[in-house]
Amino acid sequence: MAAAEAADPQLMLGVGLIEKDTNGEVLWVWCYPSTTAALRNLLLRKCCLTDENKLLHPFVYGQYRRTWFYITTVEVPDSSILKKVTHFSIVLTAKDFNPEKYAAFTRILCRMYLKHGSPVKMMESYIAVLTKGICQSEENGSFLSKDFDARKAYLAGSIKDIVSQFGMETVILHTALMLKKRIVVYHPKIEAVQEFTRTLPALVWHRQDWTILHSYVHLDTDELEALQMCPGYVAGFVDLEVSNRSDLYDVFVNLADGEITIAPLAKEAMTMGKMHKEIGQLIVHSAEDPEKSDSQVIQDISLKTKEIFTNLAPFSEVSDDGEKRVLNYEALKQRRFPPATENFLYHLAAAEQMLKI
């Protein structure tokens, strides 16, 4: 499924151009096809050209209401045909998570715009990729959509880096993801936030669900409303003010200080016991093995996760309507697991929508 998805060029939704002129004004200049005012405002906010601190972020990405955005920003050299423009950003919106794919394509579009100074060539390339999955040009480089497999994007982050930073505490992140809790990650540098957050969904590889990732969120009402509609998520912020917004998270990761905090209201569901210690030890042991690659570490964690679901299986039964499997809570209690294990399995069943309504 992942490979078929990556080969499908119809995943792209639109392309846009934002310019900063010699007067310092930032304008949304062009897009194809049309876009909504709300999305346009969001993308202007995300593009670093509107930022007060003048820092240039060559590539950022994120998600808003199931639309992924990818933004590449470049400084215009003096030799360029674009005389009244100091910087510009190319924005791509798409249905899929694949930063490497869209970084490669937006770089090609940037080179085209620098050379021709008109969006026409960009639109031609966009339509070529949309219809054929390929655009070729000798001077600007070629792009082939199916070179970028979705699975590769899922595996691009480093679990080993996360474990080397947080050690046994990585199990808090694993537990939160298993229970579909809300994780907020803070670091002042967007690149650090993106690298860390994109890796977290791999801790629950059995779901292969990157829709939970919101790697670049601002504390603006429209974005927070969209985020709070999601049952569980991994959200990245560069504004430390988010640490005071306990309504947004169950687990808060201060990446800059290397600290993980569990919110008071989430403590009961996140109670750790012997089983969590075993999972934590397995994660650390696997990640510290120099012979193992990141994907092998993910595989080890995934096998342990399957074991947990195997533990849950004997306490599930077919629901009255025969539609799905539900938890038999009495059977779980009779098994007399340690309290923290029973508590975790109950909350896991809840996260998997296995509770009787």
Side-chain angles (χ1 to χ4, degrees), residues 103-121:
F105 188 36
T106 48
R107 278 197 302 270
I108 288 174
L109 296 178
C110 282
R111 287 199 288 271
M112 285 179 177
Y113 192 54
L114 278 172
K115 184 168 193 260
H116 300 284
S118 144
V120 175
K121 290 278 182 204

Side-chain angles (χ1 to χ4, degrees), residues 7-238:
D8 177 10
Q10 297 296 344
L11 292 167
M12 290 197 303
L13 296 169
V15 58
L17 171 67
I18 297 166
E19 287 181 349
K20 186 172 196 169
D21 64 21
T22 44
N23 300 323
E25 269 196 79
V26 178
L27 297 167
W28 180 275
V29 181
W30 170 85
C31 65
Y32 175 82
S34 62
T35 186
T36 63
L39 189 59
R40 195 165 61 231
N41 290 337
L42 175 104
L43 296 168
L44 277 163
R45 190 186 307 147
K46 299 300 171 192
C47 122
C48 58
L49 300 180
T50 52
D51 224 354
E52 322 278 85
N53 64 18
K54 308 278 190 291
L55 266 181
L56 197 69
H57 302 294
F59 182 66
V60 296
Y61 59 88
Q63 184 202 170
Y64 175 70
R65 297 186 190 271
R66 291 294 172 99
T67 292
W68 289 94
F69 56 85
Y70 302 92
I71 306 172
T72 290
T73 303
V74 295
E75 193 168 355
V76 177
D78 294 340
S79 58
S80 170
I81 197 168
L82 299 160
K83 292 300 172 212
K84 291 191 172 151
V85 179
T86 60
H87 302 78
F88 67 85
S89 298
I90 302 284
V91 181
L92 272 178
T93 51
K95 295 179 208 165
D96 61 328
F97 169 75
N98 203 321
E100 287 67 31
K101 172 166 77 167
Y102 295 113
F105 188 36
T106 48
R107 278 197 302 270
I108 288 174
L109 296 178
C110 282
R111 287 199 288 271
M112 285 179 177
Y113 192 54
L114 278 172
K115 184 168 193 260
H116 300 284
S118 144
V120 175
K121 290 278 182 204
M122 288 198 298
M123 188 164 103
E124 285 170 4
S125 296
Y126 175 83
I127 291 170
V129 171
L130 197 64
T131 53
K132 303 183 193 124
I134 184 168
C135 79
Q136 285 167 306
S137 97
E138 276 171 33
E139 72 273 32
N140 299 311
S142 299
F143 174 83
L144 187 60
S145 196
K146 69 173 175 9
D147 281 348
F148 299 90
D149 179 50
R151 201 164 172 274
K152 259 193 210 159
Y154 295 164
L155 290 167
S158 173
I159 288 277
K160 289 186 146 205
D161 285 355
I162 290 177
V163 180
S164 75
Q165 185 168 5
F166 289 105
M168 277 294 281
E169 284 200 309
T170 309
V171 78
I172 299 173
L173 302 171
H174 177 262
T175 304
L177 288 156
M178 286 285 282
L179 300 181
K180 298 185 179 174
K181 295 292 180 193
R182 302 164 307 153
I183 301 174
V184 160
V185 178
Y186 160 77
H187 193 284
K189 292 190 173 129
I190 184 58
E191 292 79 5
V193 171
Q194 304 216 291
E195 194 51 41
F196 186 86
T197 54
R198 76 172 294 174
T199 312
L200 290 184
L203 284 168
V204 281
W205 182 256
H206 65 288
R207 291 192 188 124
Q208 293 202 22
D209 181 13
W210 263 254
T211 63
I212 64 169
L213 175 64
H214 301 258
S215 57
Y216 189 15
V217 186
H218 281 81
L219 289 166
D220 285 66
T221 313
D222 56 334
E223 291 187 52
L224 298 184
E225 278 174 4
L227 190 64
Q228 286 171 308
M229 283 165 69
C230 310
Y233 50 74
V234 174
F237 292 81
V238 292

Side-chain angles (χ1 to χ4, degrees), residues 181 250-251 261-272 343 347:
K181 295 292 180 193
D250 300 305
V251 173
T261 312
I262 300 173
L265 288 174
K267 280 197 168 136
E268 188 263 331
M270 298 276 298
T271 306
M272 302 283 159
N343 180 55
H347 283 99

